[in-house]
Amino acid sequence: DAGVIQSPRHEVTEMGQEVTLRCKPISGHNSLFWYRQTMMRGLELLIYFNNNVPIDDSGMPEDRFSAKMPNASFSTLKIQPSEPRDSAVYFCASSPTGGTYNEQFFGPGTRLTVL
Amino acid sequence: SQKIEQNSEALNIQEGKTATLTCNYTNYSPAYLQWYRQDPGRGPVFLLLIRENEKEKRKERLKVTFDTTLKQSLFHITASQPADSATYLCALDENPGANNLFFGTGTRLTVIP
């Protein structure tokens, strides 16, 4: 298995532009997580899905952020409009079941820079 | 408020020694605790999970302890090697039955040859 796939790996954009980050979880995993990592705040959970349904989006910073999971093999995180403070590394992770105790498998991340 | 603290931002040790990393938490009642390793430019990689009713767990040169009274986990790497140099993150579940994790800010370990 190729693991969790994220695209793009790097994104540089200007303030006000729309940014879409993409994630393909590991096949068979039915939980998907979006995280943001910065030096100041560390790794923060933004939102997670079980069986394509959003379960907890309390970590989404504001209405400019939205996430979708139209099917079991694809998810997007969109920022519109983007701001310089959104610059961070965004990770997607998946987990094999919707229950507890399961390890999470992380993708390589997308490094976002908003100028 | 809930908080997860890892003892230091950076830890340097000599090759062959045992590295000990600390994770302390407040205002959580986790059912389990996980440790991850993160290399520069990569996502975290799962290492070990320990449940609340387990005192200790081992995997090769790694050992994790979990003291729910002290609200602390210790992560040990014995016979450390330069290849162990990385950032190590602890993570807790929000509450029993939750599937999401809260991560500490990590400790950057450097093993000096």
Side-chain angles (χ1 to χ4, degrees):
Chain A
D1 197 321
V4 175
I5 298 172
Q6 291 187 248
S7 65
R9 292 295 310 277
H10 302 273
E11 176 81 30
V12 180
T13 191
E14 292 188 345
M15 183 173 65
Q17 296 298 305
E18 178 180 295
V19 174
T20 299
L21 311 182
R22 296 172 176 78
C23 175
K24 176 177 167 48
I26 293 173
S27 177
H29 286 191
N30 59 9
S31 292
L32 182 140
F33 308 83
W34 281 101
Y35 291 90
R36 177 173 68 177
Q37 188 173 41
T38 61
M39 289 294 293
M40 289 296 293
R41 300 174 67 89
L43 195 61
E44 301 174 283
L45 177 68
L46 300 176
I47 185 172
Y48 79 96
F49 297 81
N50 278 352
N51 296 315
N52 313 339
V53 176
I55 301 300
D56 184 354
D57 65 355
S58 59
M60 297 284 262
E62 47 198 273
D63 292 345
R64 297 184 297 107
F65 285 69
S66 63
K68 292 182 180 179
M69 192 164 185
N71 57 62
S73 60
F74 184 64
S75 178
T76 59
L77 177 68
K78 186 176 291 186
I79 308 173
Q80 166 64 14
S82 57
E83 297 182 3
R85 60 190 167 126
D86 301 331
S87 298
V89 181
Y90 290 80
F91 288 103
C92 174
S94 68
S95 185
T97 75
T100 57
Y101 307 148
N102 288 304
E103 65 182 273
Q104 295 184 12
F105 295 78
F106 283 77
T110 295
R111 181 173 294 278
L112 174 65
T113 303
V114 183
L115 303 175
Chain B
S1 63
Q2 297 168 321
K3 203 178 212 182
I4 305 171
E5 289 183 323
Q6 295 192 238
N7 56 329
S8 58
E9 282 190 19
L11 179 66
N12 296 333
I13 64 164
Q14 209 67 36
E15 182 177 4
K17 301 292 186 185
T18 296
T20 298
L21 284 63
T22 305
C23 177
N24 294 293
Y25 59 93
T26 54
N27 297 325
Y28 280 98
S29 296
Y32 59 90
L33 184 147
Q34 300 185 17
W35 283 90
Y36 287 76
R37 168 183 173 142
Q38 187 174 21
D39 291 285
R42 294 179 177 269
V45 174
F46 172 81
L47 295 175
L48 279 169
L49 179 152
I50 186 165
R51 293 178 173 78
E52 60 177 338
N53 59 351
E54 297 176 318
K55 295 293 185 189
E56 182 180 297
K57 186 120 311 166
R58 291 175 185 261
K59 179 182 176 182
E60 298 172 353
R61 293 184 296 110
L62 308 180
K63 184 177 85 171
V64 172
T65 63
F66 193 11
D67 189 324
T68 54
T69 302
L70 291 179
K71 295 185 182 296
Q72 181 182 79
S73 174
L74 299 179
F75 177 81
H76 306 273
I77 306 175
T78 58
S80 60
Q81 304 166 1
D84 296 326
S85 299
T87 295
Y88 292 86
L89 304 162
C90 67
L92 306 176
D93 62 312
E94 181 181 19
N95 53 64
N99 199 31
N100 52 320
L101 295 175
F102 286 91
F103 282 82
T105 50
T107 296
R108 188 173 66 252
L109 174 68
T110 302
V111 180
I112 303 164

